[in-house]
Amino acid sequence: MIFTLVVSSQSINSAPKNTEILWDTYGIPHIYGNNTQGAFQAFGWAQMQSHGNLLLRLYGQARGRAAEYWGEEYLDSDKWVLTMGVPQRTRTWYQAQSPAFRSYLNAFVAGINAYAKKHPDLIDDEVEVVLPIRPEDVLSHLQRLLLFTFVVNQESVADMSQHQSPAASNGWAIAPKRSASGKAMLLANPHLPWGDLFLWYEAQMTAPGIDAYGATLVGIPVLAIAFNDRLGWTHTVNTHDGWDAYKLQLQNNGYLFDGKVRPFETTSFLLKIKQKNGSLREQILTVKSSVHGPVVSQKDGQVLALRVVGQNSSGVLEQWWDMAKANNLTQFQKALQRLQLPMFTVMYADREGHIMHLFNGLVPMRNQGDFAYWQGIIPGETSKTLWTKNHPYQDLPKVIDPASGWLQNANDPPWTITSPPAIKAEDYPLYMAPRGPVYFRAQSSARMLAEDDSISFEEMVAYKHSTRMELAERILDELIGTAKQQEDELTRRAAEVLVAWDRKADADSRGAVLFSFWVDNIDLDTLFKIPWNEKSPFTTPDGLADPQSAVKALADAAATVEKAYKKLDVAWGEIFRLRSGKLDLPANGGDGDRGIFRVVNFAPTGDERFQAVGGDSYVAAVEFSQPVKAMALTSYGNSSQPNSPHVSDQLPLFARQQLRPVWRTRKEIVAHLEERKVF
């Protein structure tokens, strides 16, 4: 492990006269800015030190020039970025920043470029072509990430059945009345893929008027999930619909709209594509746009134009920054009311004991239809279906200090965030959010909170790591009973394995592999005898609609498991692994559709095993005592740079279902100091 100490005349234990970064032994940068610009510059430097190769690659993609830099495999990405108008819009966004925040962006970029100039040997040669970075690159990356990955992405447009974001999360806020300490608590638990533009970066930022700790996605210059001494928040992907695909009626080289033919607006881009011999092939991309937005699909005689919210929301970063600077709920809501953040639930708790859930987002004001209607292809020939305004803050589903004393969101609609319900669906437009169903992970989330009327900080951390399969609780007894009655010896042995199983996906759980393979063999939509009911949102669906078919699927799963692993009761962690570099550890957790709160997504590795590729990524558990009590984990470590000791150094903790203490005071940080950088 490399220890670097930059010596200055000031004591390391004293408040800094200069801007500095104190790196702790987990590679977390604790930034002390003697002014705000200094803090932003240090944060740019820190992100380069921890994720320089990734950051430059992401900014290159956000320019729409990645194919020019790195070849054909990036061509679709470039086309998407240019079709969505990202580079052109970025210039407007940069000019729209407040003078103060524009100076912060400039400082962040100055830190990036200064690091690259100082340490060119630590940056991969192939990504150096992106340098120098400009402030506009940060805003292009922000657009690509928020608007054109989370709100809508290429896969969703290609497959209209996948209208929701593929990302997920859990979030809890617990009021003093349900907290063993009498202090409000917050649980932040986003679930994202473990790589690319979804990678979390943990940091502390301290400057005049701010001392915030949390995480952001690589390349973003402010904390997106954070807490300070007085309050904190997290985000989950909400059931928000911020885009629509409109079917156009073509006529006379234009399209029909309100009885008249309108011409398309046309923009052309010169694409340069790097070839394997280093030469550049050129190609013209022509983008047609209607009044709805750019044309994104022309096939089978159907032309679709895309309309996306948030294209005027240039103040996202400053809103996040001011959320982290807030000292109370009033100040926090004042920042939220700007509605610059295009989507995401906000889950909040503070030292005064308040908790809040906000179904945040830019929700179009639509003239007709329910949520399901707007998931489909929308007729584009009339202004009656063309939304032009969004709902104001006061229209959004929100609750502060519910009677239950707890709030949860596991990507379920806002109607089921607590029990008894605090927000009534009938009080909102039918298109605001779906009426259901509530999936098993959210049911497990609500059950843990509802069943414990005095939750300690330690219990909250333990609940966070729950691998219990809610799905198994609904149908396992009936499945086992039916399986035991079968004449087939394999089916009866499978039943005995399920009898002995602890109904969890812990590393040593035996039966979880068999059950999971069985789930893969069935159709969850037709499995249940009693369907989901919004009057019983946390106890339905239930029972087996066709026990014999379910048992047949169990026999098939048992045959597969026994053939692959030579036994039916193979341990979960033997098959499901955490692999990174030289690490190969037994995993715990699994897919949320099983009702597992501790989400880990796996991909097959080719050796009859499965490797974690996403899920629990950044976790923070916070109690707003004085001083604040906090623990956290960034599952894959806080660096992706080659040869960094912080690539996957937190993965063993992840395997043991542990969080690490958060060091926030200067005394704590100095006691766990790895490196110091003074600017």
Side-chain angles (χ1 to χ4, degrees), residues 53 115-125 128 641-643:
N53 293 341
Y115 181 90
K117 185 175 181 179
K118 179 75 173 178
H119 299 290
D121 54 316
L122 299 180
I123 306 297
D124 280 356
D125 292 344
E128 288 183 340
Q641 283 299 94
N643 303 316

Side-chain angles (χ1 to χ4, degrees), residues 20-70:
E20 64 180 357
I21 307 173
L22 301 183
W23 297 88
D24 71 29
T25 49
Y26 283 103
I28 314 297
H30 303 265
I31 293 165
Y32 291 87
N34 62 350
N35 56 56
T36 305
Q37 287 91 339
F40 273 83
Q41 180 176 351
F43 199 32
W45 179 286
Q47 290 206 28
M48 280 295 285
Q49 180 164 324
S50 302
H51 293 290
N53 293 341
L54 173 61
L55 183 147
L56 295 179
R57 194 172 295 273
L58 293 177
Y59 286 172
Q61 288 181 264
R63 286 178 184 170
R65 295 177 62 188
E68 175 185 343
Y69 299 147
W70 306 302

